[in-house]
Amino acid sequence: MNRRLLAGSITMFLGAALAVVPDLPAVATPAGEPYTLWYDEPAPDTDQGWETRSLPIGNGAMGATVFGGVAAERLQFNDKTLWTGGPGVPDYAFGNWDAPRPGALEGIRERIWKEGGIPATDVLAALGLKSDTPRHRRFGAYQSFGDVRLTFPGLPEQADGYRRELAVARGVAGVSFTAGGVRHTREYFASAPAGVIVARLATDRPGGVGFTARIAVPANRSATATAAGGRVTVKGNLSNNGMAYEAQLQVLNQGGTRTDNPDGTVTVSGADSAVLILGTGTDYAPDYPTYKGKDPHARLTARVDAGAARGYAKLLAAHQADHRALFGRAGLDLGGVMPAVPTDDLLAAYGSGDASADRALEQLFYQYGRYLLIASSRPGSLPANLQGVWNVLEAPPWQSDYHLNINLQMNYWPAEATNLAELAEPLHTYVDRLREPGRVTARQMYDAGGWVAHHASNIFGQTGAWDHPAYFFPESGAWLAGQLYDHYRYTLDEPFLRRTAYPVLKETARFWRDFLQTDPRDGTLVAVPSRSPELGASTAGASMSQQILWHLFTDLREAATRLGDRKEAAAAAKVLDRLDAGLRVGKWGQLQEWKEDIDDPAETHRHVSHLFSVHPGRQVSPRTTPELAEAAKVSLNARTDAGTGWSKAWKINFWARLLDGDRAHKLLADQLRTSTLANLWDTHPPFQIDGNFGATSGMTEMLLQSHLGTIDLLPALPGAWPQGRATGLRARGAHTLDLAWSSGRLSEVRLTPDERGTVRLRSDTFRDGARVVDRRDRPVGHRVEGDVLTFSAKAGETYRIT
């Protein structure tokens, strides 16, 4: 089985007392536990084995993957601040122009007006960053920090009774096996409270634990390794940008002996058990323009020291309490019963006829998405990137960066609705910090106010354009601003609105007021140049651009009105009066991708960007705009259900919003069958975590929607889910809901509002009448009109509707 990597900091030696830790029983998970991934063999010690079979743990800032070898264990670990590129590279310019380009933007616009559309490469030639220095060197890439390598002399390569697991409800990974009549158990977890990764190795025979521990790092950096007081310390600088890094691994043994070796390794012999505490640090700081902080040694040492001083029992208890407080808020029961088979076998058999096993896998996949968000995004850390927090490569696909034309946004789609709202704080902070470099990009590239960001960003404030046509997408900032405002719509957190979301909305809108141009064909305001990611020519008023901007100015007007800023509300309304909303039905019944009716019905590109207003937007719905919703279905059918992992996940959300639960479920099944790896990571290919998050979001949208102002209950329930229960879901307006259904019909709702006000619920079941009571079973006055039930609610009260 794969073992869990420990995430956190490493501390200095604390004294002889820390060499003894209490002997604790290993956590045992039943084979059929509903929220556990488990396997009967280790992950291969290769990059492919890492991607497809290793098991992830994380505490937001750090991540690790467990391979679970018997005679040799590998814990590959990461720290989200370890990047190449950035200001440490002499010619880094945040993606901005190397030199002024007078008339470049005007020239591009003039060509578009004359020609209708021009090659996207021509836009980048005029507006993109050009230099002799390779862009990847400047931009950088997320790095593997290294591996904790453990070798166990005397143990065989294979053993009896082998089990490797990841219990996502507890956030603990484990490995167990029998060799030579001795039962070995190993546990791993990444502690957010302690900021470290922790492991415990034990046997059922006294003196049965013996190993040598070392830290191995990639070759693209300087490295020195030392061992003192049972602590392995590896430190140095990246060759690319000089970033300082350090990792510490404290080894604490109960019984036996511990030896510090001259080569920077630590050996334990004849111990009853041992605890490992791992921590990492760099000199990165999120401060524009240097992004340079203090050497990590002192704070890293203090963190590992503190973890070692607490001891394993307290570290584990604090970690599990912290993890369960988040994970346990929401649940999903589709009636599945987990069979006692390894997870890779369960996945391989999906759809073969065992409906109970299929529902069990779907339940696990849903909660796995929530687990991955808990593990890869915590307040105070950087946001989850293309691979969350896990990366094994020095040159990862797409730099393992922040793609801002859907991927970063998709990472956080499930945060609000599945009751993990505070885990979006890294995204909010990241967007807020992009404004400062984004102002320079807006001024240099477009002679505009406000701020702007393009398709791809890093941890070093990259807001300019790359020299690649797919990477020109100035609408990124506007999409991100809307995601911040949606956090307010879910939480009604007015201090957040005033402090973060509203300033971002205003400054984003300022850029677009300067950027928008009057279309001479009809007098509307359009984005020029614009493009439908990542497809087609650059043109004027591509549908996705216009839809994003409609949402931006609509959100701004609403937020300004709420905060009493009449001037800003009026300015937003003035733009909306003239803005092209990007919604047209074309000649073959499709929702047009461009302002011109030029869509190709044979196009099957994985992006379906012109359906932004179906999801995550709110302009198009069968409830409000049935003609546009039908056109969206035509476009989706033309694109087909094929696509990469994240694309299938987006389509789950689309079909849920279009109220077709069976089609949404079919896309979920496709994703599980063809775009999910043995360790349940989503694959593009390669591994890309947004598909996991998008699938969890889509499953939630099938059960609960609130984007239109009314809370829609079971709006897209598929026939495959005839009965079930969902708990702890969140709706806009700051409501928490539990739902139960049977024979495909809603049977009970429990609703708790954070604020007092009018509640509107929609379900066909209400047409047959409903009963509403408070927590004391007292009747509550309500009104039913068709399929909508309305009543007045008090903050903190729990209401039951049957």
Side-chain angles (χ1 to χ4, degrees):
M1 297 179 149
N2 289 346
R3 304 175 186 178
R4 305 172 182 182
L5 284 182
L6 307 178
S9 308
I10 301 178
T11 59
M12 300 286 291
F13 179 58
L14 299 178
L18 292 183
V20 178
V21 296
D23 194 10
L24 299 171
V27 176
T29 305
E33 205 279 335
Y35 297 139
T36 295
L37 291 74
W38 73 276
Y39 306 82
D40 56 9
E41 59 186 358
D45 188 2
T46 63
D47 288 347
Q48 184 180 20
W50 173 89
E51 179 184 28
T52 63
R53 297 263 172 185
S54 70
L55 295 176
I57 59 174
N59 63 10
M62 294 180 64
T65 52
V66 180
F67 285 70
V70 174
E73 172 65 293
R74 178 186 181 188
L75 306 175
Q76 186 275 330
F77 63 97
N78 294 94
D79 180 314
K80 276 194 288 194
T81 65
L82 190 70
W83 271 69
T84 58
V89 176
D91 52 357
Y92 180 69
F94 304 92
N96 297 324
W97 286 350
D98 297 331
R101 301 182 187 185
L105 180 61
E106 291 77 5
I108 286 295
R109 284 173 169 165
E110 184 177 352
R111 282 191 60 194
I112 289 174
W113 292 132
K114 289 181 178 179
E115 302 172 33
I118 65 174
T121 52
D122 290 3
V123 174
L124 264 294
L127 302 181
L129 176 65
K130 286 292 183 181
S131 171
D132 293 335
T133 303
R135 65 178 184 265
H136 289 87
R137 181 172 183 268
R138 295 189 305 266
F139 183 90
Y142 183 46
Q143 297 295 289
S144 171
F145 212 107
D147 300 295
V148 172
R149 294 280 185 171
L150 306 175
T151 55
F152 300 88
L155 286 183
E157 291 296 323
Q158 297 181 340
D160 297 328
Y162 182 92
R163 179 183 171 95
R164 175 172 56 97
E165 70 176 27
L166 173 60
V168 300
R170 294 185 288 111
V172 178
V175 177
S176 59
F177 57 87
T178 298
V182 178
R183 190 66 177 166
H184 294 255
T185 56
R186 303 169 186 168
E187 293 181 342
Y188 310 89
F189 62 89
S191 169
V196 294
I197 293 175
V198 183
R200 182 176 181 274
L201 318 175
T203 63
D204 64 357
R205 180 176 299 176
V209 175
F211 61 92
T212 294
R214 67 183 176 95
I215 294 175
V217 297
N220 65 346
R221 64 199 69 172
S222 64
T224 60
T226 60
R231 182 165 304 186
V232 177
T233 299
V234 175
K235 61 193 303 184
N237 300 86
L238 296 183
S239 303
N240 170 266
N241 59 7
M243 179 181 283
Y245 74 91
E246 184 172 337
Q248 297 180 16
L249 179 68
Q250 179 68 56
V251 179
L252 307 171
N253 59 295
Q254 178 177 359
T257 61
R258 187 184 65 196
T259 304
D260 301 323
N261 303 315
D263 62 354
T265 63
V266 170
T267 298
V268 170
S269 300
D272 299 330
S273 63
V275 171
L276 312 179
I277 299 178
L278 172 70
T280 58
T282 73
D283 64 355
Y284 170 82
D287 298 325
Y288 174 81
T290 63
Y291 293 93
K292 182 86 166 179
K294 296 179 180 179
D295 185 272
H297 178 75
R299 65 181 184 275
L300 174 58
T301 299
R303 198 180 334 131
V304 178
D305 284 350
R310 287 184 63 80
Y312 184 79
K314 291 182 179 179
L315 287 170
L316 178 61
H319 160 69
Q320 292 196 123
D322 167 75
H323 180 81
R324 283 172 166 154
L326 293 166
F327 185 88
R329 290 178 185 169
L332 178 62
D333 180 359
L334 300 174
V337 177
M338 185 64 71
V341 299
T343 301
D344 50 349
D345 294 342
L346 179 69
L347 178 64
Y350 179 79
S352 62
D354 188 340
S356 178
D358 289 351
R359 301 295 84 77
L361 177 61
E362 291 165 359
Q363 293 164 186
L364 174 60
F365 195 54
Y366 180 85
Q367 289 288 37
Y368 190 50
R370 297 182 69 245
Y371 166 84
L372 292 171
L373 188 60
I374 294 169
S376 64
S377 184
R378 291 296 192 101
S381 69
L382 289 162
N385 58 41
L386 278 174
Q387 294 177 300
V389 67
W390 301 280
N391 166 47
V392 74
L393 300 173
E394 297 172 46
W398 302 283
Q399 304 75 236
S400 191
D401 65 18
Y402 297 110
H403 268 38
L404 309 184
N405 73 336
I406 185 174
N407 311 94
L408 177 60
Q409 290 90 336
M410 184 183 282
N411 282 0
Y412 288 91
W413 284 354
E416 310 292 342
T418 72
N419 218 333
L420 298 172
E422 64 267 53
L423 302 190
E425 184 275 340
L427 174 68
H428 304 154
T429 300
Y430 180 77
V431 173
D432 196 30
R433 286 171 174 162
L434 280 182
R435 286 194 291 156
E436 190 170 9
R439 291 169 191 143
V440 178
T441 301
R443 185 174 63 254
Q444 286 191 5
M445 289 189 65
Y446 305 108
D447 192 25
W451 77 285
V452 67
H454 288 78
H455 172 115
S457 191
N458 55 16
I459 68 171
F460 303 116
Q462 170 99 5
T463 51
W466 277 35
D467 52 341
H468 188 288
Y471 283 54
F472 182 84
F473 190 66
E475 294 84 357
S476 295
W479 187 341
L480 290 165
Q483 200 129 337
L484 267 63
Y485 185 63
D486 209 33
H487 175 76
Y488 167 75
R489 296 179 72 213
Y490 270 100
T491 64
L492 302 183
D493 182 350
E494 188 165 314
F496 170 81
L497 177 63
R498 291 184 180 276
R499 179 183 66 251
T500 304
Y502 189 54
V504 170
L505 283 168
K506 285 198 301 182
E507 195 168 5
T508 308
R510 181 182 175 188
F511 169 80
W512 284 101
R513 278 194 285 261
D514 289 346
F515 186 93
L516 287 167
Q517 301 292 301
T518 300
D519 190 329
R521 296 168 292 184
D522 59 12
T524 60
L525 293 176
V526 292
V528 189
S530 69
R531 187 173 185 238
S532 192
E534 302 168 7
L535 179 67
S538 291
T539 183
S543 296
M544 188 192 203
S545 303
Q546 301 304 130
Q547 292 171 26
I548 289 175
L549 296 178
W550 182 90
H551 285 84
L552 170 67
F553 285 99
T554 299
D555 289 346
L556 177 60
R557 180 178 59 182
E558 181 178 306
T561 301
R562 289 181 182 275
L563 296 177
D565 190 343
R566 296 180 181 178
K567 181 178 179 180
E568 195 68 42
K574 186 176 180 180
V575 173
L576 286 168
D577 286 343
R578 296 185 56 203
L579 185 71
D580 186 315
L583 297 173
R584 291 176 175 82
V585 178
K587 58 192 175 187
W588 46 278
Q590 87 283 14
L591 195 65
Q592 288 181 203
E593 192 158 4
W594 290 275
K595 189 165 184 175
E596 301 82 7
D597 192 356
I598 58 174
D599 299 48
D600 180 0
E603 179 60 66
T604 58
H605 196 276
R606 64 187 179 277
H607 280 264
V608 198
S609 303
H610 54 303
L611 302 193
F612 178 91
S613 283
V614 176
H615 184 278
R618 59 188 190 279
Q619 278 177 292
V620 177
S621 168
R623 305 283 193 203
T624 56
T625 56
E627 180 185 358
L628 294 175
E630 286 302 313
K633 292 179 183 179
V634 171
S635 290
L636 268 179
N637 283 323
R639 280 292 211 266
T640 78
D641 291 345
T644 59
W646 69 262
S647 177
K648 292 186 182 79
W650 198 5
K651 291 172 183 177
I652 298 170
N653 288 269
F654 282 144
W655 284 111
R657 285 281 180 94
L658 292 170
L659 309 183
D660 190 336
D662 289 333
R663 188 66 172 273
H665 184 266
K666 190 262 184 187
L667 263 299
L668 173 64
D670 287 354
Q671 185 175 356
L672 283 166
R673 281 193 292 257
T674 65
S675 297
T676 300
L677 301 169
N679 59 3
L680 301 191
W681 268 346
D682 171 78
T683 181
H684 180 74
F687 160 52
Q688 197 169 293
I689 204 168
D690 43 16
N692 288 102
F693 296 137
T696 295
S697 167
M699 294 174 74
T700 308
E701 290 283 344
M702 293 159 74
L703 302 174
L704 180 71
Q705 297 176 16
S706 59
H707 58 292
L708 299 177
T710 297
I711 302 173
D712 214 335
L713 308 174
L714 306 182
L717 187 70
W721 299 349
Q723 58 272 329
R725 176 176 291 274
T727 58
L729 302 184
R730 292 282 288 177
R732 294 169 182 86
H735 304 290
T736 303
L737 294 99
D738 300 343
L739 310 175
W741 64 95
S742 179
S743 300
R745 288 177 60 82
L746 184 70
S747 56
E748 181 177 285
V749 182
R750 292 182 184 269
L751 180 144
T752 304
D754 295 351
E755 306 285 345
R756 66 178 301 168
T758 300
V759 176
R760 289 173 52 85
L761 304 173
R762 175 181 280 116
S763 170
D764 280 340
T765 308
F766 296 149
R767 297 182 187 276
D768 299 329
R771 180 171 184 261
V772 182
V773 298
D774 65 14
R775 72 179 69 199
R776 296 174 180 83
D777 206 35
R778 296 177 301 192
V780 175
H782 60 279
R783 183 175 69 256
V784 176
E785 296 176 323
D787 62 353
V788 176
L789 182 151
T790 306
F791 66 97
S792 295
K794 299 177 182 179
E797 179 61 85
T798 295
Y799 300 90
R800 187 165 68 94
I801 302 101
T802 57

